[in-house]
Amino acid sequence: MHELGIATDLLGMVEEQAGRAGMVRVARVCLELGVLAPVDTEALGLAFELARVADPVRDAELVITRVPAEATCRDCGAVTEVDDALALCSACHGGRLTLRGGRDLRLVAIEGH
Amino acid sequence: MCATCGCGVDVVHTHDHAHGEGHTHDHAHGDGHTHDHAHAVASAPFVLAPEPPLPSRRLRLERDLLALNDSVAAANRLALARQRTLALNLMSSPGAGKTTLLVATLRRLEGTPVGVIEGDQATSLDADRIRAAGAPAVQVNTGAGCHLEAGMVARALERLPPLPDGVLFIENVGNLVCPAAFDLGEGRRVVVVSVTEGEDKPLKYPAMFAGADLVVVTKVDLLPHLDVDLPLLVANLDRVAPGVPHLPVSARTGQGMDAWCAWILAR
């Protein structure tokens, strides 16, 4: 679905940045993906493999770091990190959490030569 | 004599590759010749070392990949703001009653400039219904696509008249998953859920409901025929979408329609 569009945009960004830096082979593409982001990691990985057909990204490895969301419990006030939208408060086990962050997909770095 | 290939010392040539033992070249050399190719000879006294690996470097970037749709959405938002048009992104599962709600709403918004962008995989059935109800409508067919994106809305806006101080309804593709991920440039997000869908949809599709500015609960005229637990639906909405108002409506009987139209006109 749209993971292929994201992968294509991602590789376009990587190629542009690598070109500007004079990088001829990209070995790793490092992403941060929020746990609440509307992107499926498996689909993104598959789309990335399908889309990376030419240099400098032909053999690039995709590395994804998951970023948690911050949860504030509306019942007991505890602030914790969670990795899904229906997590329970770890302090009072209530289900009424207000979530912040954890929704982005960011290209954070590329490695190569 | 060249120690590598055995030819005369005054010849200039290059060796640009290494060979292992047992490799031979058989060519004859006279004096005063030139080499224009590189070669090596069996049992050479040395081999060229392989190129050392180039040092790897790490380029630190900070690029938001989901922002690409967002920049088009921001342009839409600006264009709509110039006309003071309120754009509402209506989202729901297929069959929740978005189009029927819109048709009933259009009749009640006489005097307000109104336009509709309809999103479906195929057919112009919804845009036809809107036009029959008296409002301009543009149908976007997404083909294999499951959601509207900002670019599609930008192109559809070019085909609608300006709506100064009016309302643009964007009826998204019926889908409780993907549309939530795409900012269209709307002013408000309205999620429509019908009483026939049960109480658990907010929990099953938290991203969609958490992003709502208003939840419209449709088909309430059917409640006497259903076992749905409405207070539980409201509790589930409160859990994933705290503070988001909900309006029970029936497009068929008119129940709740005044409150819905008042919410629209209050912007």
Side-chain angles (χ1 to χ4, degrees):
Chain A
M1 278 194 322
H2 37 104
E3 276 78 3
L4 187 56
I6 293 174
T8 308
D9 290 340
L10 166 61
L11 286 165
M13 249 187 221
V14 170
E15 284 165 17
E16 190 205 333
Q17 294 296 324
R20 277 205 220 152
M23 221 182 245
V24 297
R25 288 284 294 276
V26 177
R28 284 175 126 202
V29 173
C30 303
L31 302 182
E32 278 180 1
L33 176 60
V35 292
L36 303 180
V39 179
D40 179 74
T41 37
E42 266 191 65
L44 182 60
L46 180 62
F48 185 81
E49 270 183 59
L50 290 172
R52 50 150 207 198
V53 289
D55 287 330
V57 294
R58 192 197 302 269
D59 301 308
E61 180 197 7
L62 185 63
V63 178
I64 302 176
T65 304
R66 301 310 305 263
V67 176
E70 184 193 80
T72 304
C73 180
R74 296 197 293 283
D75 294 322
C76 78
V79 179
T80 52
E81 282 188 344
V82 296
D83 59 14
D84 82 79
L86 295 180
L88 299 179
C89 173
S90 48
C92 74
H93 305 292
R96 294 171 6 104
L97 298 176
T98 299
L99 304 175
R100 251 178 20 111
R103 285 172 225 273
D104 296 331
L105 172 60
R106 256 186 252 279
L107 169 60
V108 288
I110 58 178
E111 292 175 6
H113 62 261
Chain B
M1 180 175 79
C2 169
T4 302
C5 70
C7 67
V9 287
D10 292 330
V11 172
V12 175
H13 55 276
T14 57
H15 299 265
D16 65 355
H17 57 273
H19 286 272
E21 293 290 323
H23 175 94
T24 56
H25 286 268
D26 53 347
H27 52 266
H29 298 285
D31 286 329
H33 66 279
T34 55
H35 285 250
D36 61 359
H37 59 272
H39 57 279
V41 169
S43 64
F46 63 88
V47 292
L48 292 174
E51 293 287 332
L54 290 161
S56 180
R57 26 176 195 138
R58 183 178 170 89
L59 220 66
R60 176 123 199 125
L61 307 163
E62 278 291 335
R63 294 282 188 280
D64 181 350
L65 280 157
L66 300 179
L68 294 160
N69 172 81
D70 292 355
S71 57
V72 181
N76 291 346
R77 194 163 272 120
L78 206 63
L80 291 161
R82 276 196 213 103
Q83 295 287 327
R84 293 167 314 282
T85 303
L86 172 67
L88 301 178
N89 184 358
L90 264 67
M91 296 175 281
S92 79
S93 60
K98 295 186 294 298
T99 313
T100 302
L101 178 68
L102 278 182
V103 168
T105 303
L106 293 171
R107 277 186 233 118
R108 289 161 175 264
L109 292 182
E110 299 272 312
T112 305
V114 174
V116 181
I117 297 175
E118 283 288 347
D120 288 291
Q121 285 193 279
T123 82
S124 63
L125 291 167
D126 284 356
D128 295 342
R129 285 174 68 186
I130 299 295
R131 280 185 223 113
V138 170
Q139 181 77 54
V140 175
N141 286 135
T142 58
C146 54
H147 58 271
L148 287 177
E149 296 190 13
M152 299 169 185
V153 170
R155 289 187 289 280
L157 279 172
E158 289 168 13
R159 293 161 57 198
L160 279 170
L163 304 167
D165 298 296
V167 184
L168 171 69
F169 294 96
I170 305 170
E171 186 185 329
N172 216 312
V173 178
N175 179 346
L176 280 177
V177 180
C178 314
F182 295 88
D183 183 4
L184 304 178
E186 70 271 24
R188 297 281 185 267
R189 290 189 156 191
V190 178
V191 177
V192 175
V193 59
S194 61
V195 293
T196 50
E197 292 171 75
E199 315 88 358
D200 57 15
K201 296 303 172 286
L203 303 181
K204 289 183 173 180
Y205 302 93
M208 172 63 72
F209 286 90
D213 294 300
L214 175 74
V215 175
V216 177
V217 181
T218 51
K219 309 187 187 180
V220 295
D221 54 298
L222 294 178
L223 283 171
H225 306 285
L226 303 170
D227 292 330
V228 67
D229 182 348
L230 215 50
L232 180 54
L233 171 62
V234 175
N236 288 338
L237 283 173
D238 173 67
R239 181 168 169 195
V240 302
V244 175
H246 72 275
L247 290 179
V249 304
S250 167
R252 199 149 145 279
T253 66
Q255 179 185 342
M257 292 296 289
D258 286 342
W260 158 236
C261 291
W263 181 89
I264 295 170
L265 295 171
R267 320 185 126 252

